[in-house]
Amino acid sequence: MSDGSYASIAGLPGPAPIPLLGWRANALRFLLDPIAYIDALPSVRGVSPFVAGGCPPVLLVGDGPAVFAIGGAANKVVLGDMEGFHSQRVPGPPGAFQRLTAGLFSMNTPQHGQQRRLIQPAFHKRRIEGYRDDMVALTAQMLDGWTAGETRDVLADLQRLTFTIASRTLFGIEAGEATFSLGASILEVVQRSMSPLTVVSPDLPGSPRRALVTTSAKVEAGLRALVAERRAAGNEASDVLSTLVRTRDEAGEALTDDELIGQMFLLFFAGHDTTRNALAWALFLLSQHPAVADALVDELDGVLHGDAPTMEQLALLPLLDRVVKESLRLFPPAPLTARMTMRPTTIAGVDLPVGTEVHLSYYHTHRDPDVFAEPTRFRPERWATETPTPYEYVPFGAGARQCIGAGFAGLEIRVVLAMLLQRFRPVLAEGARVDRKTSIVLSPHPGLPMLLRPRGSRVTAPRVRGNVLGMVTIDA
């Protein structure tokens, strides 16, 4: 890459290269905690170089510099132009890993449009509403195993619940130990692919990269077995996989096995990991804001009287809707994304050449004080008056690439919260440490230990430690 590629950003302020080690050490720091890295930028709005003076792409493959472009205006430019800004797969070993990561997320026009049209019927509003009964039954099953007075790692419980729901609704299978093992392996593939150790390690026995190769092969074999089973069954089941196997496009073409593998991997991961973290962060925020939790429980009691919400009743629960929206604002499940410019473009007055890696941060967009008053405060009531654009509030992305399962996830989050809060009052364990972990999805780390108080309990916010305190304002 020539120095000319850096010309437009050469004078822009950005993080200094780390002495002796250079931009690669900055990339390592970014991968370890991207939110902290962006927090330290001279400005978290507009365009900033990844490193002062410029550096090549960090995650994608291109010939231009790497930059951050943050804010609603930048999101609109990038997310509103799929042809001008391409997605790419995360670099990784050839073979199974490349086939697993060939889903919608890494596709571009025209393939993205063709594949999305094939998948879209499985996420039609009426079909999503049909999954409500499974969500209710499996949530009740989880809650029946809880006991008031015990302390549980709610994040682990929610992972098991959301994976069970995804297994039944997306793929028509009951989640036994073999399925949970597959789910754990899918998460391992995602986490290893984003690990700095994997990026720098050679493909040798015992290395992180070899572990990624091995786990990817295991996941691919498991998903292929599900596809083969569903093709052989040839039934009219309503789960997403069965629907995808039967679907044909305008030319009569069906998804190939390789295409199904890529889409299943993405749906399996996104269909449960983003949702469990969204639920966990919502429970954390309610624990730290007991007055909001009290009001929400009162609303649920007044409308549902202890029952699970019907589709019609969800429309009668405005505070539940606002709590979910506000939680997704403060803790968007997928807080960052990156695109590659396919033609010269201008963002916020900065000219960017072809091959520029553009990093977007939905997390920081959601904290723009010009859009959201008191942006670091948990204020569900803001949604009665504040009306951000689709590019200023992007918990599930925007434009043609908006998450295809956003409606599914939104329904699941609301159903689970409504049922859980009518049975228990989860309160963060006193003095628990909550840190963020960002590996594509934003998670509380190392877990979320919560005391299950009896329903109706009036509580005070417990003391919390960890870098979560820098993410949201919590009054003492």
Side-chain angles (χ1 to χ4, degrees), residues 52-63:
C55 75
V58 175
L59 296 178
L60 308 180
V61 179
D63 297 322

Side-chain angles (χ1 to χ4, degrees), residues 160-248:
R160 194 172 185 89
L161 170 65
T162 56
F163 188 78
T164 303
I165 291 173
S167 297
R168 182 181 292 184
T169 58
L170 299 181
F171 305 110
I173 55 178
E174 298 302 318
E177 289 309 312
T179 315
F180 284 123
S181 176
L182 175 62
S185 295
I186 288 173
L187 290 181
E188 182 182 341
V189 167
V190 173
Q191 291 165 358
R192 284 191 180 278
S193 70
M194 295 299 294
S195 167
L197 291 176
T198 304
V199 173
V200 301
S201 73
D203 185 8
L204 296 174
S207 70
R209 189 173 180 86
R210 179 62 60 85
L212 176 59
V213 171
T214 302
T215 307
S216 296
K218 175 183 174 182
V219 170
E220 183 184 27
L223 294 179
R224 285 195 184 279
L226 289 176
V227 171
E229 178 184 302
R230 204 51 45 84
R231 287 199 189 281
N235 57 34
E236 296 298 312
S238 62
D239 62 272
V240 171
L241 177 55
S242 295
T243 302
L244 294 183
V245 167
R246 296 192 301 266
T247 298
R248 300 291 185 273

Side-chain angles (χ1 to χ4, degrees), residues 427-449:
V427 181
L428 188 71
E430 178 65 31
R433 183 176 185 90
V434 179
D435 291 311
R436 63 175 170 266
K437 179 179 180 182
T438 310
S439 179
I440 298 182
V441 174
L442 180 60
S443 304
H445 181 75
L448 199 64

Side-chain angles (χ1 to χ4, degrees), residues 12-26:
L12 297 178
I18 295 176
L20 302 179
L21 301 176
W23 69 266
R24 289 178 176 82
N26 291 68

Side-chain angles (χ1 to χ4, degrees), residues 134-166:
D134 284 330
M135 294 176 182
V136 168
L138 294 171
T139 302
Q141 188 177 87
M142 178 190 76
L143 297 176
D144 287 344
W146 287 9
T147 303
E150 67 178 340
T151 298
R152 304 185 63 96
D153 180 0
V154 171
L155 184 65
D157 287 334
L158 291 173
Q159 178 176 339
R160 194 172 185 89
L161 170 65
T162 56
F163 188 78
T164 303
I165 291 173

Side-chain angles (χ1 to χ4, degrees), residues 49-135:
F50 191 91
V51 174
C55 75
V58 175
L59 296 178
L60 308 180
V61 179
D63 297 322
V67 302
F68 295 102
I70 299 173
N75 290 341
K76 186 174 182 179
V77 172
V78 176
L79 301 178
D81 181 7
M82 187 187 296
E83 291 186 0
F85 296 87
H86 275 195
S87 182
Q88 292 182 3
R89 304 179 201 179
V90 174
F97 177 78
Q98 292 299 316
R99 289 187 290 273
L100 292 176
T101 55
L104 276 180
F105 182 80
S106 62
M107 291 179 174
N108 300 292
T109 54
Q111 186 187 28
H112 180 277
Q114 185 260 352
Q115 295 274 301
R116 190 174 178 108
R117 286 192 297 273
L118 283 168
I119 297 171
Q120 191 68 60
F123 291 93
H124 189 277
K125 182 174 182 291
R126 286 194 300 273
R127 194 173 288 274
I128 290 174
E129 291 174 355
Y131 301 141
R132 177 262 180 197
D133 290 351
D134 284 330
M135 294 176 182

